[in-house]
């Protein structure tokens, strides 16, 4: 547009480009909202000939579609007067009672009053962050941690400080050291975000002994724990562990979800929080979306009330165990020396460390070219880490596809190793991978 | 808890109360998140003997439940593989195409690429605010305006500046004067939020001539328009008007919803935005909830594809017109001198001004006692205004209930008038009503 003498105010086109005239008008928090450069690659990776070990999508093909069809029909016909109407921001009271029964399976004794139903547990993450985080506040999180949690914390301008994790989950001494250092530096730490059971992306589980110590440390520092537990009921071996919330009701916000144990298509998750926090979350939810879908809440309620859902979880467990076993045995049989990986007792993910000198992100285009995809480890850190790592998921492909995917992956890695041995270890400059986390789903 | 010598860090209980140990840990933005004091009253007002002219709930009882039951069953059984799975943060591509056809009814020529599906248009409001608002930024809004928009803007610490409105919608001269004053004061104005058609709460519609002038002013000041249009297709008389977006594609973010024309129970709304803004909204949605319900999007898509939805809107229009007529004729016949009200050509709401000396909020407990409820006008302003006003909705009660509700309301007003005439006008101190907006739904 031509200059106009009357235009001397905040016309954004004066500050911005012709491509985005509003570039000068965005909020500070929007500056961190940039699309990942590997997004385009994942579009390619979704082609049918590619074995994707990247996504965290549950295998909904195993669900009983006819029965679910009947359930949703009944909700519309018999409960339409409320199911098709607005609901409350806190969520359907009957469903909240049923969710308490689900949580009891992991040792949690809760009141439905202390619970809010959310659009997946992702929205619960968002609401907690919105209620607690001012720009510059610190969030502690495992290293590595769930990619979209990083995005959410970053969207509210939190500083994420990673805490070391090993095969037994987060290391209590490292947590305590971080807290002491941050306190000495005068930083405001708002909460410790943890996926203690079958962690995403690492697949590891915090041991019972460490759970006790982590809770003790957080209690001593007055630090709120944000426990994210979408996979806890999908255990393939070993004894079920108690949720952190079970042993520290006043100091833990617990996030749960039906996305992995039933279906992500209804977007029903929840947060269980101390009463005063829960009240804030409900007010935040009201301004975020007024109310969640009444229909979907009643569908999940009717599913829990009329379908043998614990049997369904057993079926899922059998299916996913076979897929995990296929992945672990393939890795064991084929991965070259110098690589290592975690051995999850449940959940969806294996965390793989490549031989020295290899870079998982630099290698990804070649892997996709060989028709196998994964998520590079760099996406699971807020800083420049994880170059030698990748997340492999075994939830969606069949055991046969997993074996073929690992075979292809091993071929790519062996190719990289001979390049490394010929040209040295610096195949890709590590700095090139320190960008935004991947857009990969949960 | 007793003091502990090791506790010298950020234990919130040291700052907070025993009721809320985290009171010192909340974000600045959470301080504005307080429950309205009239919330408790609305709980009473939901008793069946009370005629509620308060809520903005559509009459979903008029929907064809058997047919909707068949649609949802088909989506589960025939499309379960995708409907029960995660979707994309931007929303179902097929539904986005269909939404373009719906918007074409109000003159909008749009590409599905520029559209994001949201959890009702409320989430679209939230995402736009999140992307644009830094603390202290100014949002312009009509006086009065939609209560939950006020909450959302306040939740991101915007300053809301109201612009005068009359029976023809917002006053262009007042908009221009506000913009000039704010520019002179060096304030950052991010957008003008408007419900131009059948406004909530005022029921008025911006005239065609004023639409042209408002767009010209905003274009001249480089100000983005946030057009919220949930009621546009529910017109009971007069000619349909073009959406603001229809005549200014590059400068308007348009929000739409199926909540009033189909059902709020599926929570399907949308935002149509210039491409660069749309990209930011999708990233914000990803961190807010990963993706909306695939199931619900496919249900609305199948409803639009297989059901005569334009006929359904005609049926809704007939029904709501009869309710509006019942309200307007009752007000005409019974309201005492000194009161006035708007005459909406569509939508759900009438805005009533009480005779001088009366206070709608102070009067509300007495009205509920007489078994009629409304929303006091003070809720629709960010400052201390609207004491003589109330919003009356005619969407949910039947014509008979509306007539009875107005009869009861007139009785209460007449009682107040005789008190006023006996004791003078200062029945309630106006300052007592300047608190948070009501929790009333749309």
């Amino acid at each position: 547009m031509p200059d106009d003498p009357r235009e001397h105010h905040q016309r954004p086109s004066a500050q911005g480009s012709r491509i985005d005239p509003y570039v000068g008008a965005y909020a500070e928090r929007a500056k961190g909202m940039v699309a990942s450069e590997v997004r385009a690659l994942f579009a390619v990776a979704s082609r049918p000939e590619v074995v994707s070990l990247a996504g965290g999508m549950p295998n909904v093909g195993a669900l009983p579609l006819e029965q679910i069809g009947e359930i949703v029909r009944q909700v519309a016909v018999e409960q339409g007067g409320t199911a098709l109407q607005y609901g409350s921001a806190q969520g359907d009271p009957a469903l909240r009672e049923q969710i308490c029964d689900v949580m009891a399976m992991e040792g949690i004794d809760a009141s439905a009053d202390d619970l809010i139903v959310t659009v997946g547990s992702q929205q619960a993450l968002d609401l907690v962050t919105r209620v607690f985080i001012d720009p510059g506040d610190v969030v502690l999180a495992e290293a590595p941690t769930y990619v979209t949690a990083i995005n959410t914390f970053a969207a509210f301008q939190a500083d994420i400080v990673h805490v070391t994790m090993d095969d037994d989950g987060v290391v209590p001494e490292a947590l305590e050291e971080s807290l002491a250092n941050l306190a000495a530096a005068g930083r405001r730490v708002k909460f410790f975000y943890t996926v203690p059971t079958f962690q995403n992306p690492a697949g590891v589980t915090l041991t019972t002994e460490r759970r006790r110590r982590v809770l003790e440390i957080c209690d001593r520092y007055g630090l709120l724990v944000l426990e994210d537990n979408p996979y806890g009921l999908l255990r393939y071996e070993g004894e079920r562990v108690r949720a952190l919330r079970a042993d520290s009701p006043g100091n833990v916000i617990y996030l749960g979800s039906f996305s992995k144990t039933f279906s992500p298509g209804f977007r029903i998750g929840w947060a269980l929080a101390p009463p005063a926090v829960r009240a804030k979350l409900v007010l935040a939810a009201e301004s975020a979306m007024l109310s969640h879908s009444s229909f979907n809440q009643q569908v999940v309620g009717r599913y829990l009330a009329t379908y043998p859902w614990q049997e369904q979880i057993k079926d899922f467990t059998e299916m996913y165990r076979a897929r995990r076993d296929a992945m672990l045995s393939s890795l064991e049989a084929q991965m070259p020396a110098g690589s290592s990986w975690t051995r999850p007792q449940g959940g969806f993910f294996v965390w793989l460390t490549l031989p020295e000198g290899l870079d998982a992100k630099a290698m990804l285009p070649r892997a996709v070219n060989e028709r196998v995809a994964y998520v590079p480890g760099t996406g699971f850190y807020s800083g420049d880490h994880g170059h030698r790592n990748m997340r492999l998921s075994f939830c969606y492909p069949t055991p046969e596809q997993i074996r073929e995917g690992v075979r292809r992956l091993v071929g790519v890695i062996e190719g990289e190793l001979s390049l490394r041995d010929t040209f040295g270890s610096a195949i890709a400059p590590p700095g090139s991978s320190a960008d935004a986390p991947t857009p990969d789903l949960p």
Side-chain angles (χ1 to χ4, degrees), chain A:
Chain A
M1 267 174 264
D3 282 341
D4 181 325
R6 293 165 305 177
E7 290 172 16
H8 48 267
H9 303 292
Q10 61 274 67
R11 170 172 286 280
S13 56
Q15 305 156 17
S17 66
R18 286 172 63 191
I19 293 169
D20 181 6
Y22 295 102
V23 75
Y26 297 123
E28 272 297 309
R29 77 177 67 79
K31 295 194 175 140
M33 298 178 188
V34 286
S36 162
E37 62 181 51
V38 300
R39 191 181 284 264
L41 207 59
F42 279 109
V44 178
S46 68
R47 291 189 317 223
E49 67 271 24
V50 174
V51 172
S52 178
L53 307 174
M57 297 186 301
N59 180 23
V60 297
L63 285 168
L65 298 187
E66 287 289 344
Q67 287 94 325
I68 293 173
E70 185 54 23
I71 287 169
V72 296
R73 193 192 67 76
Q74 287 169 357
V75 168
V77 173
E78 298 172 20
Q79 302 163 222
T82 55
L84 301 180
Q85 190 53 275
Y86 287 106
S88 81
Q90 188 173 358
D92 184 60
L95 177 62
R96 287 189 278 116
E97 293 286 351
Q98 292 171 298
I99 290 171
C100 289
D101 296 339
V102 174
M103 291 190 294
M105 296 173 72
E106 297 184 82
I108 294 173
D109 179 19
S111 156
D113 284 346
D114 297 339
L115 200 144
I116 171 175
V117 180
T118 55
V119 182
S121 55
Q122 183 65 37
Q123 193 195 31
L125 260 178
D126 184 78
L127 296 177
V128 169
T129 308
R130 181 192 296 238
V131 161
F132 280 100
I133 297 299
D134 285 315
D137 284 348
V138 173
V139 171
L140 290 170
E142 288 141 350
T145 191
Y146 168 47
V147 53
T148 316
I150 294 176
N151 289 352
T152 301
F153 303 149
F156 286 94
Q157 299 163 271
D159 285 346
I160 298 159
V161 172
H162 286 290
V163 183
T164 303
M165 195 168 51
D166 63 21
D167 283 348
D168 291 333
V170 75
V171 177
E173 293 74 17
L175 176 64
E176 178 143 27
E177 192 184 334
S178 285
L179 281 167
N181 290 343
L182 289 161
R187 300 297 302 272
R188 297 214 310 172
V189 187
K190 288 296 178 68
F191 51 79
F192 169 45
Y193 171 71
T194 174
V195 186
T197 307
F198 318 136
Q199 205 244 12
N200 180 2
V204 302
T205 296
L206 190 65
T207 62
T208 297
E209 163 59 14
R210 282 197 182 174
R211 282 172 195 250
R212 199 191 54 72
R213 291 175 60 199
V214 165
L215 287 176
E216 184 273 321
I217 292 166
C218 290
D219 183 56
R220 184 146 41 82
Y221 278 81
L223 186 72
L224 201 55
V225 176
L226 181 54
E227 177 181 25
D228 191 0
N229 186 28
Y231 311 104
L233 295 179
L234 296 173
R235 176 177 281 280
Y236 318 131
E237 66 178 76
E239 290 286 302
R240 191 171 282 168
V241 288
R242 285 168 68 82
L244 292 168
R245 167 58 176 75
D247 297 307
S248 184
N251 212 26
V252 175
I253 299 175
Y254 177 92
L255 310 186
S257 174
F258 290 107
S259 292
K260 279 77 184 182
T261 53
F262 176 35
S263 156
F266 298 111
R267 309 304 294 118
I268 302 288
W270 67 89
L272 174 69
V277 174
R278 192 273 300 153
K280 291 281 187 198
L281 295 177
V282 171
L283 291 168
E286 195 166 284
S287 93
M289 59 157 186
L290 283 183
S291 65
H292 197 349
S293 167
S294 302
F295 186 84
N296 293 8
Q297 292 179 75
Q298 294 191 22
V299 165
V300 173
R302 189 176 269 259
Y303 171 78
L304 293 173
T306 66
Y307 192 81
W309 59 273
Q310 303 207 9
E311 292 305 310
Q312 179 63 51
I313 291 178
K314 273 187 197 155
D315 290 349
F316 275 138
T317 299
E318 296 300 321
M319 175 190 65
Y320 290 132
R321 182 192 291 115
R323 292 170 183 216
R324 178 203 64 160
D325 291 348
M327 178 166 281
L328 290 180
S329 62
S330 298
L331 291 171
E332 191 63 49
Q334 299 176 57
M335 283 300 284
S339 53
S340 61
W341 56 93
T342 58
R343 285 157 184 83
Q345 296 195 315
F348 286 0
F349 309 113
V350 166
W351 182 248
L352 183 93
T353 305
L354 292 170
E356 209 158 328
L358 266 55
D359 185 306
K361 184 160 173 186
M363 195 177 88
L364 183 58
R366 292 186 275 275
V368 171
N369 200 44
E370 296 299 323
R371 295 165 295 131
V372 60
Y374 55 83
V375 184
T378 44
F380 302 97
Y381 295 88
S382 75
D384 184 19
H385 304 286
H387 291 278
R388 274 178 65 195
N389 298 109
M390 64 178 67
R391 189 190 75 176
L392 299 175
S393 42
F394 51 79
C395 43
Y396 199 72
T398 63
E400 293 66 35
Q401 289 168 328
I402 290 169
R403 280 188 278 268
E404 175 60 21
V406 171
R407 199 190 62 73
R408 294 176 188 172
L409 180 64
V410 168
V412 175
I413 293 170
E414 285 172 344
E416 295 287 297
L417 283 173
S418 50
L419 279 172
R420 180 197 68 176
D421 296 342
T422 309
F423 298 104
S425 64
I427 302 174
S432 66
S433 314
D435 49 27
T438 75
D440 185 66
L441 285 172

